[in-house]
Amino acid sequence: MPVDTDFADEGVAEETAPGVRPPPGAAAVFGPALGPARAFARMLATRGVERGLIGPHEVPRLWDRHLLNCAVVADLIDSRCRMLADIGSGAGLPGLVLAMMQPDLSVTLLEPMERRCQFLSECIAELGLANTSVLRGRAEETVLRADVATARAVAPLDRLAEMAVHVVRPGGMVLAIKGRTAADELRKARPVLRRIGARGAEVVRVGEGKVDPATTVVRFFAR
């Protein structure tokens, strides 16, 4: 995966911005993808903040709250999966991170806002992610046949479930990264999940022993 981890224009951010330097456990989680992850962290801390994709207060916790939180979700994606759609990709979380983690996976970043699409395209080019593309549009207006769909901070689970059925194949898996509200969102979404024929809906915690806190994900499968 070709990437220069010492960009002259952004490398200073890793030396001066608290939280941009990877914590000790990052190498164990990211493995060979640590170099691209470091470069992506600098992009988020500089251009991402300048363009309003993340708030400046998020920079000190880029690794713990965002990058590592997304990276461990790769543990839930079976090696037989070939295509992933990241709904409302925004700043590329989790889509770009998962593309780094699983280079054999074809990743589509689905994002309706032009300025975010531009940022994502720049990241893909500079990180050398040949397995990743950007598609401008809304999930509910798009028809894809992905094996797995991911989403983070996009919509409440009941609304997200209806979006996801447009971008996964029959039997495809949906992974919604949630926080402390996961169980409550799942309870409220049960009627919608039943109506769309979703199965196996559950709250799972991934990354135990790797990240603290572990990442909370609502997982279900399409009809």
Side-chain angles (χ1 to χ4, degrees):
M1 187 179 297
V3 59
D4 181 356
T5 58
D6 294 312
F7 296 153
D9 60 336
E10 294 177 346
V12 67
E14 184 168 296
E15 303 301 325
T16 61
V20 176
R21 184 180 295 275
V29 173
F30 277 94
L34 182 61
R38 289 171 64 148
F40 183 42
R42 292 197 293 271
M43 294 175 190
L44 290 172
T46 53
R47 279 175 272 174
V49 172
E50 291 164 7
R51 300 184 192 183
L53 276 78
I54 65 167
H57 60 284
E58 294 298 318
V59 173
R61 50 187 185 178
L62 273 176
W63 286 93
D64 292 337
R65 184 179 175 88
H66 299 288
L67 298 174
L68 288 165
N69 177 266
C70 291
V72 294
V73 175
D75 292 347
L76 298 176
I77 301 174
D78 192 284
S79 60
R80 292 171 296 180
C81 291
R82 289 291 175 260
M83 181 179 177
L84 180 147
D86 188 36
I87 299 171
S89 199
L93 301 164
L96 282 175
V97 174
L98 295 174
M100 298 173 202
M101 298 290 293
Q102 299 197 349
D104 292 332
L105 189 65
S106 176
V107 176
T108 299
L109 307 178
L110 186 58
E111 169 56 49
M113 294 186 64
E114 175 61 30
R115 64 183 179 86
R116 293 177 180 174
C117 288
Q118 181 178 351
F119 174 79
L120 294 171
S121 296
E122 291 173 8
C123 290
I124 290 169
E126 294 179 32
L127 295 172
L129 296 175
N131 63 330
T132 312
S133 61
V134 179
L135 177 60
R136 186 180 180 189
R138 301 181 182 277
E140 57 269 38
E141 300 168 355
T142 304
V143 178
L144 296 174
R145 302 281 289 183
D147 297 301
V148 56
T150 55
R152 184 175 188 261
V154 173
L157 188 62
D158 53 355
R159 287 174 49 205
L160 178 62
E162 295 196 281
M163 297 179 191
V165 296
H166 293 273
V167 301
V168 292
R169 62 170 174 78
M173 179 172 64
V174 179
L175 300 173
I177 301 176
K178 296 290 183 179
R180 290 172 294 180
T181 64
D184 186 51
E185 284 196 48
L186 177 55
R187 178 182 58 81
K188 292 178 180 177
R190 289 286 185 190
V192 173
L193 293 170
R194 284 194 295 268
R195 177 167 55 78
I196 65 175
R199 58 184 179 82
E202 62 179 338
V203 176
V204 296
R205 289 173 61 79
V206 62
E208 297 275 8
K210 295 181 179 181
V211 296
D212 185 23
T215 302
T216 303
V217 177
V218 176
R219 176 176 58 189
F220 65 88
F221 297 85
R223 186 196 302 271

